[in-house]
Amino acid sequence: KKMADIPAMTGVRTVACDNRIYLFGNEGGTTKAYYTTDGNSWTPITLPALTDANAWQNIAATEDSLYIMSGSTIYRSHDATTWDVDNSILSAGNTLQRLLGASNTEVYAQATDGTLITKYCDDQLPIWIKATDETQSSFDELPTQDYAMVSFPMNQSDSTDYVLMTGNKKIGEEWNRR
């Protein structure tokens, strides 16, 4: 079934959350968002006051929450209507470069020093964990542009997800897929 045409945007990211498809993108130099439940029409979303026109690039969705990062501020919403500042990244002492994506249980981000950090989405344990120095060499290969991430549950364990991240990284003068 062909979905309704998306609003005129440059640069688009989509995520699924709570039986909706969310569309974030650059519309006239501003981050705008829409959602659909049936693919027949797009409904606009009122976003928090974003300071970064490229916030649409920093979107993640877990099973029940949407995350958007603008500047160094992360906002979280359970309904795409009410957005609250997620201060957990500040309490962990990390500075984020970008949100990469999410599984049903964790949000993944890249810190400004290039390391991968994750946050458990359990409200009882909202902790960001930074990769250790022993694993850092594998994170030097993280994509820096055109990244995408997908996750799906592991059949053998209901609390574990497979996570696949891909994108491009410029090495010297050449772009390489990661």
Side-chain angles (χ1 to χ4, degrees), residues 96-166:
L96 295 185
Q97 180 175 330
R98 69 172 38 109
L99 286 180
L100 298 171
S103 67
N104 284 331
T105 59
E106 294 178 278
V107 176
Y108 298 85
Q110 188 173 18
T112 52
D113 65 2
T115 57
L116 180 72
I117 60 175
T118 62
K119 176 191 174 193
Y120 293 106
C121 297
D122 183 348
D123 285 334
Q124 305 303 315
L125 188 66
I127 298 172
W128 285 91
I129 299 171
K130 194 170 193 175
T132 63
D133 290 336
E134 293 83 34
T135 59
Q136 178 56 37
S137 62
S138 62
F139 299 122
D140 289 339
E141 299 298 319
L142 283 174
T144 56
Q145 187 172 322
D146 307 322
Y147 60 92
M149 186 179 145
V150 64
S151 72
F152 49 96
M154 182 179 203
N155 290 339
Q156 295 83 1
S157 175
D158 63 357
S159 62
T160 304
D161 291 333
Y162 288 108
V163 176
L164 173 66
M165 191 180 316
T166 185

Side-chain angles (χ1 to χ4, degrees), residues 1-5 21 36 38-40 42:
K1 174 182 170 182
K2 183 181 182 297
M3 293 181 63
D5 290 339
I21 297 173
T36 185
D38 58 11
N40 292 324
W42 292 97

Side-chain angles (χ1 to χ4, degrees), residues 8 19 27 57 63:
N19 296 316
E27 189 176 290
Q57 296 178 28
E63 192 171 79

Side-chain angles (χ1 to χ4, degrees), residues 7 9 22-27 30-35 42-47 50 56 59 66 68 80 83:
M9 297 177 146
Y22 291 91
L23 173 73
F24 294 83
N26 181 326
E27 189 176 290
T30 305
T31 294
K32 298 287 184 175
Y34 299 84
Y35 75 88
W42 292 97
T43 303
I45 296 171
T46 301
L47 294 172
L50 303 175
W56 63 270
I59 305 297
L66 292 168
I68 187 168
W83 295 85

Side-chain angles (χ1 to χ4, degrees), residues 54-77:
N54 293 318
W56 63 270
Q57 296 178 28
N58 291 290
I59 305 297
T62 62
E63 192 171 79
D64 67 348
S65 297
L66 292 168
Y67 293 84
I68 187 168
M69 185 174 83
S70 179
S72 61
T73 304
I74 298 174
Y75 299 91
R76 178 182 181 189
S77 178

